[in-house]
Amino acid sequence: MSKQLDKHFIKLMRGLKQCLSRVPRDLTTASLIVLCVLMLRYVGLLQPLELAALDQFFRLRPYEQPDNRITIVAVDEASLRNGFPIPDSIIAELLKKLQANQPRAIGLDIYRDLPSKDGNKILINTYKSMPNLIGTQLLANNQSPHVPPPQGLNSEQVGFNNLLYDIDGKVRRSLLYWHINNIPYESFALKLALLYLKSEQVFPTKAAIDPKYLQLKKAAFIRFQENDGAYVRADARGYQILSNFPKPSCHNFSKDSCPFRKVSMVDVLANKVPKSWIQDRIILIGSTAPSIQDFVFIPYSSDLIKGAKPVPGIEVQAYFVSQLISAALEGRPLLQVWSKFWECLWIFLWSYLGAVTAWRIRHAVSSIVAIFIACSLLFVVAYLTFLSGWWIPLIPSLLAFTGSVIWITNYLAHIQEELKRSKEFLQQVIDTIADPIFVKNEKHQWVVLNEAYCRLIGYPDSLLIEKSEFDFFPKHEAEVFREQDELVFATQKPQENEEEFTDAFGQTHLIATKRSLHKDAAGNFFLVGVIRDITQRKLMEEELKRTAAELFRSNNELKLKEDHLRYLAYHDSLTGLPNRKYFAEQLYESINWAKEKNLLLGLLFIDLDGFKQVNDTLGHEMGDRLLLVVAQRLSNSLRTSDIVARLGGDEFTVILRPIPDVQVAAKVAEKILLNITEPIVFNGSSTKVSASIGISIYPNDSLDTDTLLKQADAAMYRAKHLGKNRIEFA
């Protein structure tokens, strides 16, 4: 088990070192590619591609539920039969018929700044009678002149309908506010949305995330900046937002692909429109007639196959209004962008992924499949984040990924060429060396072999090149070779070890192999092994080992005999306790130790009471068994640092080393008396003995061993004379 763990550890270390060795190359490649891509992006060369990719996301998004809150009254070609501009009286009649059906708001996206034919006074009176009417005006900018609002409407009933065009002529942003000479203006779409939301008790507030932003209930409208997303130095004047155009299904409304319910002005005037299509809705009045040319391009206008199809301006306003209301009431996502830091990090990650993919997968077909999967994954991730309201870089990420792949692929081609040259040069060098030499790549394949190596193992190099040890050697031998190779690859340090292998003729060789790791100019790692055949030397070593083992066994037996004799000389043959000789040596050493450490020692002299009677009545065999029990009880009563010995007969001594005071010696002696007096059972019968104990203390009673022992002996006899089974101090 330990060996398997070691092998796994070596493989892990090798993989980690290889990964770390590639990090600078991968990071350098990814960083250079990212710098190039970011440079292209920030000079604006990628802007058209990114905007086109965004358009395709709009077209691919799933259909949403139709917005029944909006109805468009179209001024179509049939409505212009009486000429253009439409007479004021007809506009007034149209507004009255619509107001009669109780719409929540009416937006008139027709310029009525000058009287048109007859009915102007009627139209002005109609304006004044409709507080829910919003007219339109065009504010002057670099592209359009100023068109004033209709006469008769107050400033609260007028919104501007200026559109923002990107470099390709499409509308992807909408204006909410514009300031001219410090006078704020609200857009036509915002006016209508606020009028609708007012009845829902939704009012504009400052956003919690930033007081400079507009908040409408669930939605905070992030203000567009000139370099947001794919844009480069775009016109960011006014309060702009990125438009997340809804994609309602148009099948329930009309056959002309309009995503909102559309009715003709002629049908409204003829009372052919159901009240339910107008009541409690936002009514947008505007031109859809081709002759007026009020058309713009939005993301849904483009198609990869068909030509671009513009939409009427009134539909664009419907998109804007629908987006604002849906975001406020339903939390429909608004289109946002990452900060520049996160965009750059995202592009860098794909660049690094491209470098790693190209480096790890070097097979052509596998590389193409991996690249296709990675690009598809990038597209899917970008599309899914778009559906959740985030516009993240797609084209720069694709360019960074493919750029890194191409760069690393070219680098690998250079490596292969350098590898070929290295092998040719190395082959010429090692063929001149007499020792067997092999060179392996990181896949453990032989790439270069000299003639001496081929002769040693008995196979020609044509069979061995690009093969491994598992193809020619027994499995147990090949596993040893692989383990040693892995160790060198993992540590990158030279290793020398002894191995054995079986050649092509079945003969087993003992070899010493020195392995080392080398790197060529292209960064490829190679393991170089130099072999020495040590078969004869190992045979001689084995013979010497056998001779040495025999000598060792003889010496060991002699030592065991010496140890046994020493044991017999220092231990009692009956109890196994130290004898008188051992006790005398230990007492002498203990006193010297106590003297050096300035400590107290206790010496106990123990003599059994009644032992002679037991010996005479029960026999010597029972007496010996009793002495064995007493010896065991004495040992169990003492600490490991204390020494108990049998002097002979029924006499025992104990050295207590060290003791803090005299009372400790008394407590130990009392414990010994208590244990000895416990009944002893032999063959079903019980007997009992006691002991008399004399105690002397070093250095209180004496400083030398003989005197200390005599004083303890005398104290013991005094204990016997005073009644036995007691303790007496010297």
Side-chain angles (χ1 to χ4, degrees):
M1 183 69 179
S2 177
K3 188 175 181 180
Q4 290 294 325
L5 289 174
D6 290 343
K7 291 173 67 175
H8 288 308
F9 176 75
I10 289 172
K11 289 182 178 179
L12 177 63
M13 289 298 296
R14 182 191 170 196
L16 180 61
K17 283 184 176 291
Q18 289 177 343
C19 181
L20 291 176
S21 67
R22 282 200 303 270
V23 163
R25 177 171 53 248
D26 294 344
L27 284 177
T28 301
T29 300
S31 300
L32 289 175
I33 296 299
V34 166
L35 287 176
C36 294
V37 171
L38 292 180
M39 189 178 298
L40 292 175
R41 190 184 194 204
Y42 292 136
V43 298
L45 295 180
L46 301 184
Q47 180 173 300
L49 293 175
E50 288 196 80
L51 294 177
L54 177 65
D55 292 347
Q56 295 309 312
F57 282 165
F58 275 109
R59 293 188 62 82
L60 290 174
R61 76 185 310 165
Y63 283 102
E64 304 173 38
Q65 290 296 322
D67 193 341
N68 294 314
R69 295 171 295 217
I70 298 175
T71 297
I72 295 176
V73 176
V75 180
D76 50 17
E77 293 295 346
S79 305
L80 300 177
R81 286 174 182 168
N82 294 326
F84 185 83
I86 301 172
D88 288 350
S89 58
I90 296 178
I91 296 296
E93 183 183 357
L94 175 66
L95 292 175
K96 290 178 181 179
K97 287 184 177 290
L98 290 172
Q99 186 71 358
N101 289 308
Q102 300 176 335
R104 196 176 296 192
I106 299 176
L108 182 62
D109 188 22
I110 300 176
Y111 295 129
R112 308 297 297 180
D113 54 313
L114 296 174
S116 176
K117 298 183 180 179
D118 57 334
N120 180 251
K121 186 174 291 188
I122 297 174
L123 180 59
I124 292 176
N125 291 332
T126 304
Y127 287 161
K128 293 179 179 180
S129 66
M130 299 176 63
N132 61 340
L133 175 67
I134 303 297
T136 186
Q137 66 175 329
L138 188 66
L139 299 178
N141 55 29
N142 296 337
Q143 299 175 344
S144 305
H146 175 65
V147 177
Q151 298 177 3
L153 291 177
N154 59 52
S155 60
E156 295 299 321
Q157 291 182 282
V158 177
F160 66 86
N161 71 346
N162 293 58
L163 297 179
L164 299 168
Y165 296 93
D166 291 335
I167 59 173
D168 57 356
K170 289 184 181 178
V171 174
R172 297 183 181 87
R173 294 167 287 153
S174 61
L175 272 165
L176 300 182
Y177 298 98
W178 203 340
H179 287 75
I180 299 178
N181 297 326
N182 295 323
I183 300 175
Y185 294 87
E186 292 181 348
S187 71
F188 178 70
L190 180 61
K191 285 274 189 183
L192 289 169
L194 292 178
L195 193 58
Y196 183 92
L197 294 171
K198 184 177 180 180
S199 60
E200 301 286 340
Q201 299 301 310
V202 177
F203 303 96
T205 60
K206 294 181 179 180
I209 59 174
D210 191 332
K212 294 183 294 184
Y213 296 152
L214 169 68
Q215 178 92 31
L216 291 176
K217 198 174 182 180
K218 296 182 179 181
F221 296 87
I222 309 300
R223 184 171 181 175
F224 173 80
Q225 304 297 326
E226 63 177 358
N227 292 312
D228 277 354
Y231 288 96
V232 179
R233 295 179 296 277
D235 183 358
R237 289 177 298 173
Y239 194 133
Q240 306 178 23
I241 61 170
L242 290 169
S243 294
N244 190 7
F245 292 98
K247 189 181 180 182
S249 173
C250 59
H251 299 301
N252 297 331
F253 288 161
S254 64
K255 296 181 181 180
D256 59 355
S257 300
C258 176
F260 302 96
R261 187 180 299 281
K262 184 190 294 183
V263 298
S264 173
M265 186 183 79
V266 175
D267 292 337
V268 175
L269 293 173
N271 297 321
K272 295 182 179 180
V273 178
K275 181 179 181 180
S276 60
W277 291 7
I278 299 174
Q279 188 177 22
D280 204 34
R281 301 183 182 223
I282 296 175
I283 307 301
L284 292 174
I285 306 171
S287 171
T288 62
S291 59
I292 298 181
Q293 292 296 313
D294 184 16
F295 291 87
V296 296
F297 292 93
I298 63 172
Y300 295 127
S301 302
S302 60
D303 197 300
L304 291 177
I305 301 176
K306 302 176 183 178
K309 182 180 179 182
V311 298
I314 192 63
E315 284 188 26
V316 176
Q317 297 298 334
Y319 277 119
F320 291 160
V321 174
S322 175
Q323 174 185 240
L324 295 175
I325 296 175
S326 297
L329 297 181
E330 300 152 14
R332 183 180 181 275
L334 296 164
L335 196 58
Q336 302 180 62
V337 298
W338 283 346
S339 67
K340 290 306 173 186
F341 170 79
W342 290 110
E343 287 188 345
C344 292
L345 180 60
W346 174 253
I347 297 170
F348 173 79
L349 289 177
W350 281 98
S351 180
Y352 185 71
L353 178 62
V356 173
T357 301
W359 185 261
R360 285 186 172 272
I361 306 175
R362 306 189 183 188
H363 190 269
V365 176
S366 300
S367 297
I368 293 174
V369 172
I371 292 170
F372 175 77
I373 292 174
C375 292
S376 300
L377 177 64
L378 172 58
F379 183 85
V380 170
V381 170
Y383 176 66
L384 293 178
T385 53
F386 165 76
L387 293 182
S388 63
W390 290 94
W391 180 21
I392 65 174
L394 173 63
I395 300 302
S397 302
L398 282 174
L399 284 178
F401 178 85
T402 54
S404 293
V405 169
I406 294 172
W407 187 302
I408 292 296
T409 301
N410 290 333
Y411 177 74
L412 289 175
H414 169 69
I415 287 178
Q416 293 301 321
E417 183 63 28
E418 289 293 329
L419 177 60
K420 181 180 178 182
R421 295 176 182 174
S422 298
K423 288 171 61 177
E424 291 174 352
F425 174 74
L426 190 58
Q427 185 70 60
Q428 295 174 4
V429 173
I430 67 172
D431 275 340
T432 63
I433 301 174
D435 288 331
I437 297 176
F438 65 85
V439 180
K440 293 182 179 180
N441 59 18
E442 295 178 79
K443 297 179 180 179
H444 297 279
Q445 297 172 329
W446 288 302
V447 292
V448 179
L449 302 168
N450 70 348
E451 295 176 356
Y453 184 83
C454 296
R455 285 196 303 269
L456 177 65
I457 69 173
Y459 295 103
D461 61 351
S462 58
L463 290 178
L464 298 173
I465 294 299
E466 296 187 357
K467 298 293 192 335
S468 73
E469 56 269 14
F470 284 95
D471 297 319
F472 294 93
F473 300 125
K475 183 179 179 182
H476 67 280
E477 296 178 358
E479 287 177 346
V480 173
F481 298 153
R482 180 61 60 87
E483 182 179 344
Q484 296 301 324
D485 291 349
E486 289 281 4
L487 181 61
V488 176
F489 274 117
T491 62
Q492 296 188 3
K493 295 181 179 179
Q495 301 286 340
E496 186 169 2
N497 57 288
E498 297 178 357
E499 304 153 344
E500 68 175 36
F501 78 93
T502 304
D503 63 18
F505 310 105
Q507 182 179 354
T508 299
H509 295 262
L510 298 174
I511 59 173
T513 306
K514 183 174 182 179
R515 294 174 171 84
S516 56
L517 201 63
H518 301 269
K519 183 168 68 172
D520 66 6
N524 302 299
F525 282 98
F526 297 97
L527 186 143
V528 178
V530 181
I531 296 175
R532 286 181 293 110
D533 192 337
I534 58 171
T535 305
Q536 295 301 320
R537 193 193 79 186
K538 296 299 290 184
L539 291 175
M540 293 178 63
E541 288 179 357
E542 289 297 324
E543 184 63 29
L544 291 173
K545 285 181 181 179
R546 283 193 294 271
T547 303
E550 292 176 359
L551 291 173
F552 177 77
R553 282 195 298 270
S554 299
N555 292 334
N556 195 39
E557 291 174 359
L558 182 60
K559 186 177 184 305
L560 290 174
K561 290 179 180 179
E562 291 177 353
D563 292 342
H564 181 64
L565 291 174
R566 179 176 177 81
Y567 180 84
L568 293 176
Y570 281 96
H571 288 79
D572 177 50
S573 60
L574 175 62
T575 62
L577 293 177
N579 58 16
R580 181 183 292 272
K581 183 179 181 181
Y582 186 84
F583 164 75
E585 292 181 2
Q586 290 298 311
L587 180 59
Y588 179 78
E589 292 179 2
S590 297
I591 288 177
N592 289 337
W593 173 77
K595 181 178 180 182
E596 181 182 349
K597 302 293 184 181
N598 195 25
L599 299 172
L600 295 177
L601 289 180
L603 178 61
L604 279 60
F605 200 106
I606 305 168
D607 188 81
L608 299 182
D609 302 325
F611 174 72
K612 187 176 184 303
Q613 181 182 357
V614 172
N615 209 27
D616 292 342
T617 57
L618 299 179
H620 292 292
E621 182 180 353
M622 289 300 177
D624 290 345
R625 292 175 62 183
L626 184 143
L627 289 174
L628 284 171
V629 172
V630 170
Q632 184 64 44
R633 290 181 178 181
L634 284 173
S635 298
N636 293 340
S637 302
L638 301 174
R639 303 168 299 177
T640 56
S641 61
D642 300 332
I643 299 172
V644 59
R646 182 190 178 203
L647 298 186
D650 59 347
E651 292 181 339
F652 298 88
T653 56
V654 174
I655 304 173
L656 302 177
R657 42 178 285 181
I659 56 173
D661 53 51
V662 176
Q663 296 303 318
V664 172
K667 290 181 180 179
V668 174
E670 289 173 358
K671 182 179 179 182
I672 291 173
L673 287 180
L674 185 63
N675 287 340
I676 289 177
T677 55
E678 288 289 326
I680 302 172
V681 179
F682 293 134
N683 298 330
S685 61
S686 175
T687 186
K688 187 176 181 182
V689 295
S690 62
S692 298
I693 301 177
I695 303 174
S696 61
I697 303 298
Y698 171 89
N700 298 356
D701 297 324
S702 179
L703 298 178
D704 66 272
T705 57
D706 293 338
T707 305
L708 205 63
L709 182 61
K710 289 178 182 179
Q711 290 182 344
D713 186 21
M716 181 271 293
Y717 276 108
R718 189 164 58 252
K720 280 189 176 291
H721 291 314
L722 292 175
K724 301 180 181 181
N725 193 29
R726 60 182 294 147
I727 301 164
E728 286 295 326
F729 280 91

